[in-house]
Amino acid sequence: MSVPSHVDYVIVGAGIHGVSTAWKLAERLIEKGEEVEGRIVILDKSGIASGASGIACGVVRNNYFQPAMRRLMAHSVDIWEADPEGLSYHPVGYMQISPESMRDDVGTIFAQQQEIGYDSVFIEGANASTSYMRGIFSDWQAQNITSVLHEKRGGFSNQTRTMYALAEKVERLGVRIMPGVEVKGFNAMNGSGAIGSVETSKGTISCERVIIGAGPWVRDFWAMLDLPSEISIKGMNGETHEDVPMWRFWQLEEGVLLIDPNDGLADDGSLPPVIHVDTDAELRSTVDDSVITDEMWGIYYKPDFHFGGIQGGASPYKVDTSADEVQIDPYGPSSPEFVASDEFAHMWVSALAHCQRRYEGKMPKYHREPSGGIGCFTADSFPVFDHFHENVAVIADSNHGWKMIGVGHLIADEVLGERQELLEPFRFGRFAKGELHPVSSSPYPWS
């Protein structure tokens, strides 16, 4: 298989960002009465959904402390909800269940969701929170919970089904997806700072525009573009921090409790909202009742017929090495990072049992399979969506990726010359300007 000698638009990565960008780009060209065939190509060194998008938990939520993230996610939820069947999307809602130390932050999220018209309810107080949860699950028993934010929108999708449906959609529109083609570098256009061609393992492609949607491999393409590996960040107090690594890596762990997904349904037989619990209650083992932790911990979970059980995860941990030393192939078949650790399995299943009685004693049902992987985070753990070298768009999702199906649509509009207000808070220049996003009390790095 040889690559075309020229296309107008080269998109790197056949995951959620690359394919969704191609989707909107193709539709916009057709709206303008232009041809798509032979103009847009998606390159991927492996294939459709072969990286992070292929094993994502599929959760779609608006539960963010940052106003800019909430507005951006509301836009993406609109896209998920526009075609739930076609996108294999389950609009079951999402619940943030929290301890007293997080109540004010979550209350702020609720108030600002109301300001943008995002449907949610907020329950406060330990007794009221427990009563609300037992109205869904009679076996609810989580401790130290004093608030529940129930987002009526959001939910989850079945990631591989979604990706193949999207791939089929864009190919019908005239987009060519080329698996097994690895991008090796970029060549500048003569007399310009713009990129004129892309070097691949199958040959050189000249092009007008490049869009990078490579998920956890974004650092490598950033380096190919000669963009800085270390940056200066102006803090909110006015101090400037020099030589801050642009990229950081966290180990993401998820797993599946291999029981009948029907055993995880709500009492009324419906698919329940996605459950996210953060608490400072002591977590004890469901195996031997030993103390796992007496510090803040958090998990998320849902019954998922696509995974064949109860699927979810917990807070990630930093990879103990410098960014330059991390070899990013976290989704390759021989990667040790591909399977979650025994420590995670013990903690996560015990946490399920802490939350609901039905999961007590279920440790033998934990299923070890490819899940999780390494996530590539920016210096402040929030996305960078921006343009470089005059004609290169970079989608660096900082591991917020799957739920952000709308980002590709916004990037496509920008590639066609229409600046998007929703993306403005995520420009690379925010670091030097000190225009950083606020952070919450959540134990998760992306909050």
Side-chain angles (χ1 to χ4, degrees):
M1 175 183 62
S2 60
V3 296
S5 59
H6 177 84
V7 296
D8 290 346
Y9 306 96
V10 171
I11 299 174
V12 181
I16 190 70
H17 295 312
V19 178
S20 64
T21 302
W23 172 18
K24 184 60 177 288
L25 191 55
E27 287 188 338
R28 286 292 310 276
L29 293 175
I30 291 169
E31 288 170 5
K32 294 165 66 175
E34 299 181 19
E35 288 290 327
V36 173
E37 197 79 37
R39 297 184 64 190
I40 305 172
V41 65
I42 301 175
L43 308 178
D44 197 288
K45 69 176 182 179
S46 297
I48 298 165
S50 59
S53 294
I55 60 171
C57 68
V59 171
V60 176
R61 63 182 172 91
N62 188 276
N63 183 245
Y64 280 100
F65 184 65
Q66 300 74 28
M69 292 292 289
R70 276 196 300 278
R71 290 193 297 270
L72 185 61
M73 277 312 309
H75 171 265
S76 284
V77 172
D78 286 343
I79 294 172
W80 286 110
E81 291 181 345
D83 185 15
E85 184 175 352
L87 293 175
S88 194
Y89 171 65
H90 306 279
V92 297
Y94 180 91
M95 304 184 86
Q96 170 68 60
I97 302 159
S98 309
E100 187 61 24
S101 62
M102 292 178 60
R103 192 203 291 206
D104 288 347
D105 284 354
V106 178
T108 297
I109 294 171
F110 169 70
Q112 295 186 13
Q113 285 179 344
Q114 302 314 292
E115 289 177 7
I116 64 172
Y118 197 83
D119 189 11
S120 60
V121 297
F122 188 48
I123 295 86
E124 295 188 82
N127 291 338
S129 296
T130 296
S131 177
Y132 190 84
M133 293 307 300
R134 287 182 179 169
I136 302 171
F137 304 113
S138 58
D139 65 336
W140 184 261
Q141 58 187 17
Q143 299 297 302
N144 291 17
I145 300 301
T146 64
S147 69
V148 176
L149 175 60
H150 185 177
E151 299 180 3
K152 299 305 183 73
R153 300 177 67 188
F156 69 97
S157 58
N158 302 129
Q159 78 291 54
T160 50
R161 291 178 185 173
T162 300
M163 284 307 310
Y164 280 97
L166 284 174
E168 183 180 355
K169 181 190 292 284
V170 301
E171 288 180 322
R172 285 200 307 267
L173 291 171
V175 175
R176 185 179 181 186
I177 301 175
M178 300 191 71
V181 178
E182 184 174 0
V183 173
K184 299 288 191 178
F186 303 100
N187 301 313
M189 193 180 301
N190 289 336
S192 168
I195 296 301
S197 62
V198 179
E199 294 290 340
T200 82
S201 57
K202 303 291 185 179
T204 302
I205 308 174
S206 66
C207 60
E208 307 302 320
R209 288 275 188 169
V210 177
I211 298 103
I212 308 293
W217 290 272
V218 65
R219 180 207 61 181
D220 298 336
F221 294 100
W222 188 266
M224 289 180 196
L225 292 166
D226 292 322
L227 296 171
S229 61
E230 294 183 337
I231 61 174
S232 297
I233 299 180
K234 184 178 179 180
M236 293 184 178
N237 60 2
E239 294 182 2
T240 298
H241 304 272
E242 304 286 352
D243 303 322
V244 178
M246 178 61 197
W247 307 108
R248 299 174 297 141
F249 295 89
W250 291 69
Q251 175 70 49
L252 312 166
E253 295 191 297
E254 294 182 345
V256 177
L257 191 63
L258 207 58
I259 63 175
D260 186 342
N262 287 296
D263 293 344
L265 299 181
D267 289 356
D268 64 4
S270 66
L271 268 176
V274 176
I275 302 297
H276 179 150
V277 179
D278 293 318
T279 182
D280 51 14
E282 182 179 72
L283 179 60
R284 304 188 75 93
S285 168
T286 189
V287 176
D288 58 15
D289 201 42
S290 61
V291 175
I292 295 176
T293 184
D294 58 3
E295 299 179 352
M296 177 82 85
W297 55 268
I299 64 165
Y300 50 92
Y301 64 98
K302 63 191 186 316
D304 194 320
F305 289 87
H306 182 64
F307 279 98
I310 310 301
Q311 191 275 340
S315 182
Y317 59 87
K318 289 181 181 178
V319 174
D320 187 21
T321 184
S322 72
D324 289 339
E325 293 170 344
V326 176
Q327 299 301 307
I328 298 300
D329 195 8
Y331 305 99
S334 63
S335 172
E337 291 83 15
F338 207 53
V339 178
S341 66
D342 291 338
E343 290 79 10
F344 161 79
H346 187 199
M347 176 270 169
W348 185 68
V349 177
S350 297
L352 289 175
H354 175 95
C355 294
Q356 292 185 249
R357 188 167 55 254
R358 70 187 71 181
Y359 300 121
E360 291 177 353
K362 299 295 187 183
M363 190 66 230
K365 295 293 185 179
Y366 181 81
H367 180 53
R368 287 182 61 82
E369 66 173 9
S371 189
I374 292 178
C376 183
F377 290 73
T378 66
D380 66 353
S381 294
F382 293 103
V384 168
F385 307 127
D386 213 341
H387 305 267
F388 304 88
H389 293 286
E390 301 179 25
N391 65 343
V392 180
V394 174
I395 301 173
D397 64 28
S398 198
N399 211 71
H400 300 266
W402 178 262
K403 63 187 79 66
M404 290 184 165
I405 194 172
V407 167
H409 288 212
L410 297 170
I411 287 290
D413 286 337
E414 291 206 330
V415 165
L416 293 175
E418 299 175 13
R419 194 86 169 176
Q420 298 297 303
E421 187 274 334
L422 287 174
L423 298 183
E424 291 300 332
F426 302 99
R427 306 303 186 191
F428 177 64
R430 73 174 184 268
F431 297 113
K433 295 175 183 176
E435 297 174 352
L436 306 180
H437 298 277
V439 295
S440 74
S441 301
S442 167
Y444 289 80
W446 45 73
S447 297

